[in-house]
Amino acid sequence: MSLPGRFITLEGGEAAGKSTQIARLAERLRRQGRSVLELREPGGTPLGEKIRHLLKHDPDGRGMAPETELLLMNASRAELVRQRILPALRSGGVVLCDRFYDSTIAYQGHGRGLDLAAVDSVIRLAVGDLRPDRTLWLEVSPETARTRLAGRKAAQVAAGGSEPIDRFDEEQEAFFARVTRGFQDSVEAEPARWRRVDAGGSVEQVADAVWSAVADLFAEA
Ligand code: TMP
């Protein structure tokens, strides 16, 4: 699908710093005068945010079947694509999305062990022909991820906030190892779309690496 806008997605494990980097990249592109939409998955529409709550925090979601999880992720995605992503790309905007269908392949396919062909057909139904122009994999070591997550939790407690349950944070290391292998497989299968970004450095260092990984998409002809 060829649309006038640019569609960039960021992928990675927990605490890779995706949302911080999306904000930084958006700021840089807006300074160049571009129209930028920042989105996250699951979520990004009123209905999608409700689905996000079911998937991550609602106690009734505990123990949901992997198939239910797959379908809910893609219900949120179907809304996001039709209500927000396609209209923005058609009008020439830049869309930056914190996770997209590669997360489904990694988490529901490799992590939960669902059949990859079935996962693929559900994704196709949700997104049609839409593909990201570029996908960044923000990589951090498991140790860095653990330290960042612990810091985040401590800051929440210090601010007096109670920690909402997050079904994904409660998964075991073996699950996240399968997810990481899933991302690796996707990068190897489609190297032209993907860029690996070392996300272990400072916010500034990672922001520079992110810019290097997308700058060619904005080089004027
Ligand atoms: P996050 O916004 O904090 O990254 O939380 C989203 C969680 O949902 C994260 O643990 C990854 C997971 N997820 C999936 O399992 N499949 C998907 O398709 C997407 C978009 C996210």
Side-chain angles (χ1 to χ4, degrees), residues 9-217:
T9 58
L10 273 73
E11 298 284 358
E14 322 301 303
K18 295 186 303 321
S19 52
T20 306
Q21 291 302 328
I22 284 190
R24 295 294 295 257
L25 180 57
E27 194 185 302
R28 183 162 188 160
L29 290 164
R30 286 191 185 111
R31 279 203 306 269
Q32 297 180 348
R34 298 176 199 277
S35 157
V36 183
L37 186 59
E38 295 167 66
L39 298 171
R40 68 171 180 184
E41 277 211 326
T45 64
L47 186 54
E49 290 296 324
K50 287 193 173 150
I51 296 173
R52 179 183 177 89
H53 179 73
L54 290 175
L55 279 162
K56 280 176 66 101
H57 306 300
D58 194 319
D60 288 340
R62 285 206 156 169
M64 75 171 69
E67 290 80 359
T68 309
E69 192 175 274
L70 170 70
L71 292 166
L72 285 174
M73 290 289 175
N74 283 280
S76 168
R77 179 166 299 135
E79 285 298 301
L80 190 69
V81 166
R82 287 157 187 79
Q83 282 193 24
R84 309 215 55 196
I85 300 178
L86 287 176
L89 294 176
R90 286 190 185 115
S91 65
V94 181
V95 177
L96 306 178
C97 198
D98 183 342
R99 301 189 180 280
F100 198 52
Y101 61 64
D102 296 294
S103 275
T104 305
I105 297 168
Y107 282 79
Q108 281 65 55
H110 294 265
R112 302 282 189 226
L114 289 175
D115 176 67
L116 291 176
V119 168
D120 191 58
S121 57
V122 173
I123 290 172
R124 306 265 153 252
L125 182 64
V127 310
D129 293 336
L130 179 65
R131 305 282 174 274
D133 296 302
R134 181 70 40 85
T135 300
L136 310 187
W137 184 19
L138 267 61
E139 292 181 274
V140 284
S141 67
E143 299 72 49
T144 305
R146 263 196 298 273
T147 312
R148 285 185 186 172
L149 278 175
R152 213 181 269 177
K153 281 188 183 146
Q156 255 182 350
V157 171
S162 64
E163 173 83 346
I165 61 151
D166 184 322
R167 286 191 316 114
F168 290 94
D169 285 354
E170 291 179 344
E171 284 300 332
Q172 304 301 310
E173 298 225 342
F175 174 83
F176 292 111
R178 290 195 296 279
V179 168
T180 301
R181 275 199 300 280
F183 282 126
Q184 264 158 3
D185 280 5
S186 295
V187 175
E188 279 159 28
E190 247 186 302
R193 174 165 67 90
W194 284 85
R195 298 289 182 275
R196 298 172 84 134
V197 172
D198 176 357
S202 68
V203 170
E204 291 302 323
Q205 287 167 332
V206 181
D208 285 345
V210 164
W211 178 250
S212 303
V214 300
D216 62 300
L217 296 175

